[in-house]
């Protein structure tokens, strides 16, 4: 993505389907992606052919292609799990869809923290939380909550390792660089690129971001 410069106005592919959704500044939504009742924070993006429903996405999240966030369930306990029982309007004139079925999905909201990376083709099941700084590997199926700054992979997804130690993760959360303004991020860009993580935290914890980045 990022074929052209981004701006405070979100970049949304004309082939995307976005319904009842709020999208932050410097965000991108790729081709044929579907968003339903999603809140996406600043600087986040989702690539092509993904489906996200009933979810809150933090800032600076990177969501790869062909991902499914909060996919629908079928009513397995019924005599039939087919569409016609809960999407009845498509099959029978005058019949309404089953409101309670879709309300269940809304109640099983998915939440991502900030700076989350979701790999190609990953699936995050309803009601799960993916913590700030976490990584979900390509093809993983997330059936349980993912702790901050943890890398998970597999089906079902299991912890591979931590990105950073718990103490470093706590300091990053306290620093909350994702709340810096656009110009502060730009001034800090060389340090984001080059400083080892502890040096970065030490520098920007020692002063206000606007001062330390000068």
């Amino acid at each position: 993505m990022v074929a052209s410069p981004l701006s405070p106005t979100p970049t949304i592919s004309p082939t995307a389907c976005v319904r009842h959704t709020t999208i932050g500044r410097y965000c991108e939504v790729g081709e044929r992606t579907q968003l339903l009742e999603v809140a996406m924070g600043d600087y986040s993006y989702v690539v092509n052919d993904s489906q996200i429903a009933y979810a809150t996405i933090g800032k600076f999240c990177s969501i790869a292609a062909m991902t499914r966030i909060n996919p629908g369930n079928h009513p397995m306990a019924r005599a039939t799990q087919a569409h016609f029982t809960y999407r009845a309007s498509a099959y029978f004139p005058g019949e309404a869809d089953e409101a309670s079925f879709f309300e269940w999905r809304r109640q099983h909201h998915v939440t991502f923290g900030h700076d989350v990376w979701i790999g190609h083709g990953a699936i995050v099941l309803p009601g799960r939380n993916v913590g700030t700084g976490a990584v979900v590997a390509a093809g993983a199926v997330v059936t349980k909550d993912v702790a901050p700054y943890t890398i998970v992979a597999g089906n079902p997804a299991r912890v591979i390792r931590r990105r950073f130690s718990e103490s470093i993760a706590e300091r990053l959360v306290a620093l909350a660089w994702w709340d810096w303004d656009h110009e502060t991020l730009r001034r800090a860009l060389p340090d984001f690129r080059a400083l080892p993580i502890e040096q970065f935290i030490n520098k920007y914890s020692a002063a206000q971001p606007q001062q330390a980045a000068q």
Side-chain angles (χ1 to χ4, degrees), residues 18-89:
V18 178
R19 293 182 290 162
H20 309 297
T21 289
T22 59
I23 302 175
R25 303 173 306 135
Y26 299 96
C27 287
E28 290 184 275
V29 178
E31 295 179 351
R32 298 174 300 279
T33 282
Q34 300 178 35
L35 302 182
L36 172 61
E37 296 187 26
V38 175
M40 179 178 287
D42 297 344
Y43 302 91
S44 291
Y45 69 84
V46 53
V47 193
N48 59 283
D49 299 290
S50 295
Q51 295 181 20
I52 307 177
Y54 312 116
T56 299
I57 310 297
K59 300 176 183 178
F60 296 93
C61 291
S62 306
I63 304 175
M66 301 182 183
T67 51
R68 294 290 305 275
I69 312 301
N70 205 348
N73 284 332
H74 289 261
M76 295 183 293
R78 295 180 179 180
T80 178
Q81 54 193 349
H83 262 177
F84 79 87
T85 61
Y86 54 93
R87 295 188 184 275
S89 66

Side-chain angles (χ1 to χ4, degrees), residues 122-145:
I123 299 171
V124 180
L125 295 184
R128 303 304 167 218
N129 296 315
V130 180
T132 290
V135 178
V136 175
V141 179
V142 175
T143 62
K144 297 180 180 179
D145 291 352

Side-chain angles (χ1 to χ4, degrees), residues 3-197:
S4 58
L6 300 177
S7 76
T9 300
T11 299
I12 302 173
S13 168
T15 63
C17 178
V18 178
R19 293 182 290 162
H20 309 297
T21 289
T22 59
I23 302 175
R25 303 173 306 135
Y26 299 96
C27 287
E28 290 184 275
V29 178
E31 295 179 351
R32 298 174 300 279
T33 282
Q34 300 178 35
L35 302 182
L36 172 61
E37 296 187 26
V38 175
M40 179 178 287
D42 297 344
Y43 302 91
S44 291
Y45 69 84
V46 53
V47 193
N48 59 283
D49 299 290
S50 295
Q51 295 181 20
I52 307 177
Y54 312 116
T56 299
I57 310 297
K59 300 176 183 178
F60 296 93
C61 291
S62 306
I63 304 175
M66 301 182 183
T67 51
R68 294 290 305 275
I69 312 301
N70 205 348
N73 284 332
H74 289 261
M76 295 183 293
R78 295 180 179 180
T80 178
Q81 54 193 349
H83 262 177
F84 79 87
T85 61
Y86 54 93
R87 295 188 184 275
S89 66
Y91 297 86
F92 309 111
E95 290 291 342
D97 291 342
E98 186 180 6
S100 60
F101 181 87
F102 295 98
E103 186 57 32
W104 182 93
R105 290 193 66 199
R106 288 188 179 92
Q107 292 173 357
H108 288 73
H109 201 80
V110 167
T111 302
F112 290 179
H114 307 298
D115 196 34
V116 169
W117 177 17
I118 305 294
H120 182 100
I123 299 171
V124 180
L125 295 184
R128 303 304 167 218
N129 296 315
V130 180
T132 290
V135 178
V136 175
V141 179
V142 175
T143 62
K144 297 180 180 179
D145 291 352
V146 180
Y149 292 98
T150 299
I151 301 170
V152 300
N155 179 12
R158 293 182 172 85
V159 175
I160 301 302
R161 63 179 177 86
R162 295 188 60 91
R163 277 184 62 198
F164 303 119
S165 68
E166 188 170 346
S167 61
I168 290 292
E170 289 174 354
R171 294 182 68 195
L172 276 170
V173 170
L175 184 63
W177 61 263
W178 39 82
D179 290 332
W180 296 355
D181 63 49
H182 196 67
E183 287 307 311
T184 299
L185 291 168
R186 183 172 186 172
R187 290 194 298 270
L189 184 59
D191 291 335
F192 274 108
R193 290 173 169 170
L195 283 185
I197 187 64

